[in-house]
Amino acid sequence: MDFQSCVNIKKEWDIVGARQLGRDIAKKIGFGTVDQARIATAISELARNIYLYAGSGKVCFEAIDDMNHKGLSIIAIDEGPGIEELSQVMEDGFSTSGGLGAGLPGVKRLMDEFDIVSEQGKGTEIKVVKWLR
Amino acid sequence: MSTLKLDLENYKELLKEYIRTKDEQALYQAEQFSKHSMQHNISPEEIINIHVQSLEEIYPEMPADIQASMNFLLETMISYGLAYQEHQALREKQLELKSELSVAANMQKTLLSTKKPDFDGIEIGAISVPAKQMNGDYHHFVQDQEGSLGIGIADVIGKGVPAALCMSMIKYSMDSFPHKRMEPSVILESLNRVVERNVDSSMFITMFYGLYNPQSHKFYYSSAGHEPGYYYHHERGEFCEMDAPGLVLGVTKDAEYPQKEQQVDPGDMIIMLTDGVTECRQGDRFIEPEEVLEIIKKYMDLPAQEMVEQVYKHFEKLQDFQLRDDFTLVVLRRNV
Ligand SMILES: Nc1ncnc2c1ncn2[C@@H]1O[C@H](COP(=O)(O)OP(=O)(O)OP(=O)(O)O)[C@@H](O)[C@H]1O
Ligand SMILES: [Mg+2]
């Protein structure tokens, strides 16, 4: 738990910045190429949702280094409109852009832990964790 | 070869073998390898990763640029991997739905089952086969307190689960009608009110209802927009249509269903069916109603139940064993 760093998401370009920082941290923690790519993709999905639906927000990273496991925790926070039909959104095949397998269910698959809190009119907070194996 | 393990060593050896021989044998093993990987839910990006690692070991001097390009390839596979996993999940879901549906279909079979009554001198044949798992057709026999035989045959416009749910409702309303004297026009009027009150207006049900009096050998019938039935005159050896005017069930509250009657002589037959029979298709062509009658005629000498089964088999085959609509055929024959 030594550091936490965030990337503000306002422009589409910021998605790339978030991926970059996330990948760097993942590399430092010791994740292999495949997991790095998965983590980067998850970050993309989260950051793009902020950019598209909330307008602005941030993605924060935290290296986890407990006694028994290492991992990366990512939190995406925005103060946008929130997600109305959470259970629907988490269902496969729902994502509006028809991106096969992508979207939030994809993020859940890419990572080991997934937690979402969203309140209408207040915003959305998604926390995901990937454990190093 | 079935002991193929998805590990780096194995892949590396296969790859080396192929690079050395370029022969089909190694490619066949690659195919086996990929099938095996799929069985273990291995995503494409993992295969690429194994490939990259193998290359690094086989060619320690591999240029860094080439190596970088491999990571680029791996990155492009992530989304395919997700789509693959989603596909797996959806497949499982589909299996679940399928088994749920087959439980429902079995329940429906039990719910809608009707017993062919035994009547002296009258022979009945009945068959009803759903196009999909659930049946949107329905037929029903009932003996009223005066000893007459009531026969209803109905079709919900639409197929599958909604149609099946609708049919269960029809069945339970029919069961709850008093069994005193089941006049076709009265039955249809009551059912019409039930449907009008309870069923979504986008759902239509057609029904043909007949009542056979085994003493007078008179057959009374009414129709709610249903496919006409047929009457076979044994003496004259010809069929004629049996139809009565009447609106589809559920359209308006006070629809009326005029009743007609038909004298039934020995050897004569009453044929009731749904449009799954008359609208059978051979390729793109709808069959003509005469064809149905011809086939019925062909099997007429058989006992009634065998007859309807043979007719069904004929049309099932004609449609390459793929029913497009639920198929229901009921035949009643006066033997003596
Ligand atoms: N941060 C957010 N704020 C508000 N709404 C959101 C947010 N993230 C997602 N949503 C809503 O949830 C829906 C589903 O998001 P998801 O990322 O799963 O799919 P998508 O963005 O529609 O398509 P894809 O990500 O495949 O391109 C979105 O269409 C959007 O309505
Ligand atoms: Mg999205």
Side-chain angles (χ1 to χ4, degrees):
Chain A
M1 291 264 195
D2 44 355
F3 61 90
Q4 177 174 12
S5 17
C6 298
V7 175
N8 287 319
I9 309 291
K10 279 204 190 73
K11 315 179 292 299
E12 188 169 11
W13 183 250
D14 297 328
I15 300 171
V16 177
R19 284 177 59 111
Q20 181 69 63
L21 182 59
R23 188 191 297 272
D24 288 346
I25 297 172
K27 212 183 277 181
K28 257 185 230 146
I29 295 171
F31 284 104
T33 337
V34 177
D35 278 343
Q36 282 177 38
R38 287 180 178 153
I39 289 167
T41 304
I43 296 169
S44 270
E45 294 289 338
L46 296 175
R48 204 175 51 236
N49 280 355
I50 292 179
Y51 166 71
L52 286 176
Y53 310 118
S56 69
K58 60 183 177 177
V59 180
C60 297
F61 305 95
E62 193 169 34
I64 307 172
D65 192 355
D66 289 353
M67 302 240 278
N68 32 24
H69 45 352
K70 283 179 151 199
L72 172 64
S73 147
I74 303 169
I75 304 180
I77 306 172
D78 66 63
E79 293 177 355
I83 303 173
E84 205 174 327
E85 302 278 357
L86 258 188
S87 55
Q88 265 187 37
V89 164
M90 291 314 296
E91 221 175 88
D92 277 321
F94 181 79
S95 90
T96 41
S97 41
L100 267 170
L104 292 175
V107 174
K108 195 170 173 184
R109 286 210 173 88
L110 290 163
M111 306 298 283
D112 295 320
E113 283 174 26
F114 182 99
D115 188 32
I116 180 165
V117 182
S118 186
E119 212 173 315
Q120 268 189 78
K122 291 213 171 131
T124 302
E125 184 176 323
I126 300 175
K127 184 182 170 196
V128 295
V129 177
K130 186 89 182 162
W131 296 110
L132 186 66
R133 261 179 288 262
Chain B
M1 223 171 302
S2 60
T3 53
L4 259 188
K5 279 206 312 255
L6 184 95
D7 58 32
L8 183 58
E9 267 322 294
N10 214 305
Y11 187 89
K12 197 175 84 187
E13 289 315 313
L14 281 181
L15 183 62
K16 255 174 149 168
E17 174 75 5
Y18 176 68
I19 292 172
R20 194 173 60 79
T21 62
K22 311 264 190 320
D23 75 0
E24 200 60 37
Q25 164 79 11
L27 289 180
Y28 175 63
Q29 296 200 341
E31 178 201 307
Q32 298 288 310
F33 182 88
S34 88
K35 280 196 182 138
H36 187 81
S37 312
M38 281 186 121
Q39 278 167 7
H40 289 80
N41 283 328
I42 307 289
S43 282
E45 69 267 23
E46 290 173 74
I47 303 269
I48 302 228
N49 190 43
I50 290 176
H51 185 79
V52 179
Q53 287 181 7
S54 303
L55 279 185
E56 282 167 0
E57 286 180 24
I58 303 173
Y59 302 107
E61 315 283 292
M62 182 167 56
D65 288 354
I66 303 287
Q67 223 180 75
S69 82
M70 287 295 178
N71 288 342
F72 191 84
L73 177 63
L74 189 145
E75 199 79 29
T76 62
M77 282 303 124
I78 298 285
S79 294
Y80 284 90
L82 280 178
Y84 169 68
Q85 282 167 26
E86 182 189 53
H87 169 83
Q88 300 289 69
L90 290 175
R91 238 177 53 158
E92 267 166 40
K93 223 189 243 170
Q94 196 204 17
L95 284 180
E96 234 171 72
L97 286 177
K98 237 185 171 165
S99 75
E100 239 175 66
L101 207 56
S102 87
V103 173
N106 272 331
M107 263 173 79
Q108 191 204 17
K109 244 193 218 147
T110 320
L111 280 176
L112 299 189
S113 63
T114 179
K115 225 179 114 251
K116 268 193 308 179
D118 279 326
F119 269 88
D120 279 346
I122 295 168
E123 215 191 327
I124 300 168
I127 189 166
S128 184
V129 184
K132 294 189 187 162
Q133 278 188 313
M134 307 280 273
N135 202 338
D137 282 357
Y138 174 58
H139 68 286
H140 164 108
F141 301 104
V142 65
Q143 193 171 355
D144 75 9
Q145 283 168 357
E146 295 181 4
S148 289
L149 167 65
I151 311 172
I153 181 166
D155 182 3
V156 182
I157 313 293
K159 286 191 272 283
V161 179
L165 287 174
C166 210
M167 268 316 157
S168 306
M169 189 197 71
I170 294 283
K171 170 181 165 112
Y172 279 95
S173 346
M174 302 238 310
D175 285 352
S176 68
F177 291 154
H179 279 43
K180 264 216 190 105
R181 183 138 202 256
M182 306 192 83
E183 294 274 355
S185 59
V186 177
I187 296 263
L188 289 185
E189 275 162 29
S190 323
L191 268 183
N192 176 59
R193 281 192 295 271
V194 172
V195 174
E196 200 269 333
R197 266 201 312 266
N198 297 297
V199 177
D200 189 90
S201 60
S202 65
M203 199 140 223
F204 296 104
I205 302 165
T206 69
M207 185 164 200
F208 189 98
Y209 197 90
L211 186 73
Y212 186 85
N213 182 325
Q215 270 89 49
S216 64
H217 295 290
K218 278 210 165 79
F219 182 68
Y220 306 91
Y221 61 93
S222 298
S223 172
H226 194 81
E227 195 67 19
Y230 292 94
Y231 187 81
Y232 179 73
H233 290 275
H234 177 64
E235 194 100 298
R236 285 185 259 152
E238 60 186 34
F239 290 94
C240 51
E241 211 178 75
M242 259 189 326
D243 202 3
L247 273 178
V248 169
L249 296 177
V251 177
T252 61
K253 215 168 32 214
D254 328 289
E256 286 182 9
Y257 297 93
Q259 187 169 303
K260 295 202 178 169
E261 67 174 81
Q262 168 78 46
Q263 180 63 43
V264 182
D265 295 322
D268 287 2
M269 287 193 304
I270 290 158
I271 295 147
M272 295 157 73
L273 33 71
T274 57
D275 58 10
V277 181
T278 46
E279 287 172 13
C280 274
R281 259 183 290 180
Q282 187 178 29
D284 288 336
R285 179 187 76 96
F286 278 105
I287 59 159
E288 302 290 331
E290 291 76 43
E291 283 179 73
V292 178
L293 300 178
E294 256 167 52
I295 300 306
I296 290 178
K297 213 166 178 175
K298 183 172 160 193
Y299 293 112
M300 207 154 53
D301 297 331
L302 294 172
Q305 187 58 35
E306 270 177 54
M307 172 177 145
V308 294
E309 279 164 17
Q310 289 301 332
V311 172
Y312 168 69
K313 278 192 187 136
H314 174 92
F315 288 110
E316 186 192 29
K317 192 162 170 219
L318 191 77
Q319 300 188 94
D320 290 327
F321 302 94
Q322 299 265 311
L323 290 193
R324 306 234 164 89
D325 198 357
D326 308 327
F327 182 110
T328 301
L329 176 64
V330 175
V331 172
L332 188 144
R333 176 163 54 201
R334 177 181 172 193
N335 280 336
V336 284

